[in-house]
Amino acid sequence: MKKTIALVCALVIVLSLCAACGSSSAPAADAGSAITTLEAGKLTVSSSPDFPPFEYTDDSGAIVGIEPEIMALIADKLGLELVIDAMDFDSALLAAQQGKSDAVVSGVTVTEDRKLVYDFTDTYISITQAIVSKEGSGITMENLGEQTIGVQRGTTGHIYAEDDYGTDHVVAYDTYTTVFQALMNDQIDCILMDDAVAKAYIAANPGLVMAESTYEPENFAFGVSKGNTALVEGINAALAELTADGTVQAIVDKYMAE
Ligand code: ARG
């Protein structure tokens, strides 16, 4: 509960900051005309849809969630058609870095290292890392260093776990589907991952619990392929409009409640 309140508070702060900075910028539609993308008329984004409520596949196989919904509205404002290329998180990061997608839209945490290879948009939500384990495991931040920690390859959870406990304590998998299978099969003791997503997996998988971590909060943004300043500005203008009129908050609330 405390976490939920913290998350909501962080969100409100981020949203009001964005709303404040957005008011002075040009309408998104103006920015749209000057934007060039990989494929004319399209906004091609790379994403790892194993990350509910941010991006996941529904029963019909469609990619849905907070970010696809926000991004579709942004693309619309820019006069572009949204195309989501689904792949593992590590590949989704690489695609935008190599200019094979216009942006990575995949619950990406803004970090100093990543700022070197992407032009990040404004941030729209914050999370913190959490530890997921089987009920009764007694695993917390205090004894995390004694465990075998499962992570998704290339995530901040992966980076923190290896930096703090060494590669011998960490097993990396390509998708959260396989990370959670490994936990169920006792191939790992716990998972270090974003708390909002941990909650979604726990809700869907009985017998799992979450412990808070002491890692710093992380901000999510869209990682635009480096150098496409017009696209960053266009996305930011559209995002500011969608924030100011309450759309972003409504989308976040809708998926967080599910
Ligand atoms: N926020 C974390 C990071 O940026 C995890 C993101 C994982 N995203 C995903 N769609 N699986 O590293």
Side-chain angles (χ1 to χ4, degrees), residues 5 25 51 61 89 131 141 156 177 184 191 219 226 236:
I5 293 168
S25 54
F51 208 58
F89 182 66
I131 304 154
M141 201 62 194
T156 41
T177 318
M184 293 309 196
I191 302 170
N219 296 321
K226 198 124 191 108
N236 281 343

Side-chain angles (χ1 to χ4, degrees), residues 47-52 54-55 67 87-89 92-93 105-111 114 127 129 152-159 174-176 193-194 197 218-220:
S47 184
S48 173
D50 59 348
F51 208 58
F54 294 98
E55 48 265 325
E67 293 191 325
M87 58 193 87
D88 300 342
F89 182 66
L93 285 176
V105 172
S106 203
V108 179
T109 301
V110 179
T111 68
R114 288 176 181 168
I127 58 89
Q129 295 293 311
Q152 183 180 36
R153 198 181 313 283
T155 58
T156 41
H158 187 188
I159 297 164
D174 285 329
T175 67
Y176 277 114
M193 64 185 295
D194 304 31
V197 181
E218 301 174 27
N219 296 321
F220 281 7

Side-chain angles (χ1 to χ4, degrees), residues 136-158:
S137 73
I139 299 173
T140 65
M141 201 62 194
E142 262 87 82
N143 55 27
L144 186 59
E146 297 150 32
Q147 319 298 330
T148 302
I149 309 165
V151 294
Q152 183 180 36
R153 198 181 313 283
T155 58
T156 41
H158 187 188

